[in-house]
Amino acid sequence: MANVATIRVLPSAFLVFFLLFTSFFLASGAEEAESHGVFRRTLDQKLMGLKKEKLTHFRLYWQEVVSGKNPTSIRVIQPVNGSQVLLGLVQIFDNALTLGPDPDSKMVGRAQGFVIQPDQNEIALLKAENFVFVEGKYNGSAITILGRNSVANTVREMPIVGGSGLFRFARGYVQLRTHAFNNETLDTILEYNVYVLHY
């Protein structure tokens, strides 16, 4: 009888041992996944190639052409009928960024993005744009800007919310002012002063 009881205990002991081993294995796997930062981990900046942060200033001119055969900015949604402040307007653009205010001055990048007019009381555009550089050291890098552009203000300020290439982890702000506006063609030249912190 002792042999019969032993035989019955062995499969039960084996099952208990198997369950404990499996539980331990799964728990250690979860801990290992956590320790390897499945959800979050702290990284060494040097391993990411990040050096000392620096502040760079650019003065650029934003050349918007809405007239002629080759506009760089087009309306994709017209404003609500009768709106004095262009409520509902959506416009996309791919404008040249130049070193000087003259449209023929050297182009160093493109401003690509859109504006939306969400304000019912004044022309205050929601503007999202990437400054994509095509010249020199910053060729292929971009800065992303997102903010409110109250057109009636002499100087407007918008935040830099990120970037790519040499502008990874970018932050800062831009100040813009209208350099020229043609009432007939609606072509616009904006002066941008860009202050960007980056590595």
Side-chain angles (χ1 to χ4, degrees):
M1 285 194 146
N3 289 342
V4 173
T6 305
I7 292 172
R8 288 184 182 165
V9 171
L10 281 177
S12 300
F14 177 74
L15 180 62
V16 170
F17 175 74
F18 176 76
L19 290 174
L20 286 172
F21 178 76
T22 305
S23 300
F24 173 76
F25 180 75
L26 291 174
S28 66
E31 287 175 14
E32 184 178 330
E34 276 185 31
S35 69
H36 283 95
V38 171
F39 299 106
R40 179 199 63 82
R41 66 179 169 167
T42 302
L43 299 173
D44 185 351
Q45 290 184 353
K46 292 176 184 173
L47 294 177
M48 296 287 294
L50 302 177
K51 300 174 184 173
K52 185 178 178 184
E53 196 172 38
K54 58 189 166 196
L55 175 64
T56 301
H57 171 249
F58 298 99
R59 177 175 289 134
L60 302 168
Y61 291 86
W62 192 86
Q63 308 281 348
E64 181 176 54
V65 178
V66 295
S67 63
K69 293 181 180 179
N70 296 309
T72 62
S73 181
I74 59 169
R75 286 186 182 179
V76 292
I77 299 178
Q78 295 296 330
V80 175
N81 290 338
S83 173
Q84 297 297 311
V85 294
L86 306 175
L87 181 66
L89 166 79
V90 177
Q91 191 153 331
I92 60 170
F93 55 85
D94 181 10
N95 298 332
L97 291 170
T98 60
L99 290 179
D102 186 327
D104 293 325
S105 63
K106 183 175 181 176
M107 186 181 81
V108 294
R110 310 283 313 167
Q112 300 170 332
F114 62 88
V115 293
I116 299 172
Q117 170 51 356
D119 197 305
Q120 296 184 57
N121 301 308
E122 64 174 304
I123 300 177
L125 305 168
L126 169 63
K127 192 171 195 178
E129 60 188 327
N130 289 318
F131 279 13
V132 182
F133 292 89
V134 297
E135 279 287 322
K137 175 182 178 181
Y138 299 107
N139 185 19
S141 297
I143 295 170
T144 302
I145 301 161
L146 174 67
R148 186 174 195 261
N149 179 10
S150 296
V151 176
N153 293 350
T154 303
V155 178
R156 287 89 78 188
E157 186 172 298
M158 295 188 302
I160 294 170
V161 296
S164 62
L166 293 178
F167 296 111
R168 286 185 193 128
F169 299 104
R171 59 194 171 95
Y173 68 98
V174 299
Q175 288 183 330
L176 60 142
R177 47 177 54 95
T178 303
H179 179 80
F181 177 72
N182 186 314
N183 284 318
E184 293 179 12
T185 65
L186 304 180
D187 293 350
T188 306
I189 300 171
L190 300 177
E191 178 188 318
Y192 271 78
N193 279 287
V194 179
Y195 300 91
V196 58
L197 281 164
H198 62 100
Y199 290 95

